[in-house]
């Protein structure tokens, strides 16, 4: 759960402006806040927030065509509008992945947290999580319900897991790009940088022993999904090793 007071306060304001919606809608929020939205220009950065002479504008680069990513960038800029007093923001690497891979500034971090919490409310997600280890189908269901990307939903679901035993790892080829884990205190040094299995030769779901032993003891349930090309997401669950 998010415990940053300014992010929680901003989400509360957002929800009070567009209440009782089926899905959190950043387009509607922009309209209510009288923020003009421009999405048809290719920009150097993912998005901009410009507040000038009483006018408020959010620009999202036309190169961002994915619907859920576009919603994330708009929400990120709204986060700046609510929480940060500057009149101009230009934002790169806008995504919830950047919170776990890039050492971004406090304001960028908070804007990403706002977007993630506004679009995927922790309480609503928590309410539909099973009382067992997560599997890929659970994450697909969340992505379907909230109309958000599988990756965003995977990060959120693992963070809120009821069993606190899952890890999601993202490999490009065999190189680790990022991971998110429910295991408190799991340090990067224990997560294999080079994937210990040949992802292409694996069954989508299997139980294995001895492969992920720096993170888990005994048998691990391993589920693999090919995101695109050589990009792979691996979901693990089992008995965590704690490295406190
Ligand atoms: Zn930003």
């Amino acid at each position: 759960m998010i415990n940053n007071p300014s992010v929680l306060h901003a989400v509360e304001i957002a929800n009070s402006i567009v209440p009782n919606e089926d899905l959190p809608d950043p387009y509607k929020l922009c309209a209510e806040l009288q923020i003009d939205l421009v999405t048809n220009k290719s920009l150097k950065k993912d998005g901009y927030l410009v507040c000038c002479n009483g006018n408020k504008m959010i620009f999202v680069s036309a190169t961002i065509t994915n619907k859920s990513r576009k919603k994330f960038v708009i929400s990120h800029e709204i986060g700046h509008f609510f929480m940060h007093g500057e009149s101009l923001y230009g934002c790169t690497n806008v995504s919830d992945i950047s919170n776990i891979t890039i050492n971004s500034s406090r304001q960028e971090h908070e804007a990403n947290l706002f977007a993630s919490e506004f679009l995927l409310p922790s309480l609503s997600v928590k309410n539909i999580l099973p009382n067992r280890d997560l599997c890929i189908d659970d994450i697909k269901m969340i992505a379907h319900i909230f109309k958000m990307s599988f990756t965003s939903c995977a990060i959120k679901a693992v963070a809120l897991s009821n069993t606190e035993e899952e890890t999601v790892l993202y490999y490009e080829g065999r190189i680790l790009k990022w991971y998110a884990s429910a295991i408190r205190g799991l340090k990067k040094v224990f997560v294999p940088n080079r994937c210990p299995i040949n992802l292409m030769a694996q069954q989508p779901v299997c139980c294995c022993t001895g492969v992920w032993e720096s993170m888990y003891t005994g048998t691990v349930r391993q589920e693999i999904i090919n995101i695109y090309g050589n990009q792979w997401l691996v979901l693990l669950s089992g008995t965590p090793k704690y490295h406190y």
Side-chain angles (χ1 to χ4, degrees):
M1 292 282 186
I2 289 173
N3 54 13
N4 179 315
S6 56
V7 174
L8 290 175
H9 183 59
V11 172
E12 208 174 298
I13 296 170
N15 290 336
S16 70
I17 293 170
V18 283
N20 304 320
E21 294 298 314
D22 292 338
L23 279 178
D25 185 344
Y27 294 92
K28 199 166 272 185
L29 190 51
C30 269
E32 291 292 332
L33 292 166
Q34 297 182 318
I35 298 175
D36 292 327
L37 193 55
V38 179
T39 61
N40 61 354
K41 296 186 187 337
S42 290
L43 308 171
K44 283 187 180 162
K45 298 190 173 188
D46 295 340
Y48 292 85
L49 169 71
V50 184
C51 300
C52 172
N53 300 329
N55 296 314
K56 296 166 278 184
M57 299 183 89
I58 285 175
F59 294 85
V60 179
S61 180
T63 52
I64 295 173
T65 52
N66 179 286
K67 276 185 188 170
S68 60
R69 181 150 164 69
K70 200 181 266 187
K71 283 198 294 184
F72 196 94
V73 176
I74 297 168
S75 304
H76 173 105
E77 302 304 340
I78 296 173
H80 282 310
F81 176 73
F82 280 141
M83 293 183 287
H84 309 131
E86 303 291 328
S87 56
L88 174 66
Y89 280 91
C91 308
T92 46
N93 298 313
V94 176
S95 77
D96 37 17
I97 297 166
S98 75
N99 278 355
I100 47 182
T101 54
I102 297 166
N103 225 344
S104 55
S105 73
R106 178 183 60 85
Q107 291 181 330
E108 287 309 293
H109 183 69
E110 285 181 343
N112 283 332
L113 283 181
F114 170 84
S116 172
E117 186 59 22
F118 175 63
L119 295 167
L120 285 168
S122 293
L123 276 178
S124 310
V125 174
K126 186 92 178 158
N127 278 342
I128 53 174
L129 289 183
N131 283 317
R132 53 162 170 73
D133 287 344
L134 293 165
C135 59
I136 295 277
D137 279 348
D138 300 321
I139 297 167
K140 282 183 178 167
M141 176 191 69
I142 295 167
H144 177 73
I145 291 173
F146 289 92
K147 308 259 184 298
M148 288 299 293
S149 74
F150 181 85
T151 303
S152 291
C153 294
I155 294 169
K156 194 85 180 194
V158 163
L160 297 172
S161 156
N162 286 313
T163 62
E164 300 188 354
E165 292 183 339
E166 301 87 343
T167 304
V168 59
L169 307 104
Y170 187 86
Y171 287 99
E172 267 180 33
R174 291 183 80 161
I175 306 300
L176 182 74
K177 292 296 174 184
W178 57 264
Y179 74 97
S181 184
I183 307 170
R184 311 299 167 212
L186 178 67
K187 294 192 176 76
K188 191 167 190 301
V189 67
F190 299 109
V191 182
N193 258 323
R194 183 176 162 76
C195 189
I197 50 171
N198 178 358
L199 290 158
M200 271 186 284
Q202 292 281 312
Q203 293 293 323
V205 187
C206 75
C207 290
C208 52
T209 308
V211 179
W212 305 98
E213 70 238 312
S214 60
M215 302 159 64
Y216 290 94
T217 53
T219 302
V220 175
R221 184 178 186 278
Q222 170 191 292
E223 207 168 344
I224 298 169
I225 183 165
N226 181 225
I227 299 287
Y228 177 77
N230 70 342
Q231 300 164 19
W232 303 84
L233 202 140
V234 182
L235 177 66
L236 306 174
S237 56
T239 307
K241 265 187 189 170
Y242 288 98
H243 301 281
Y244 293 112

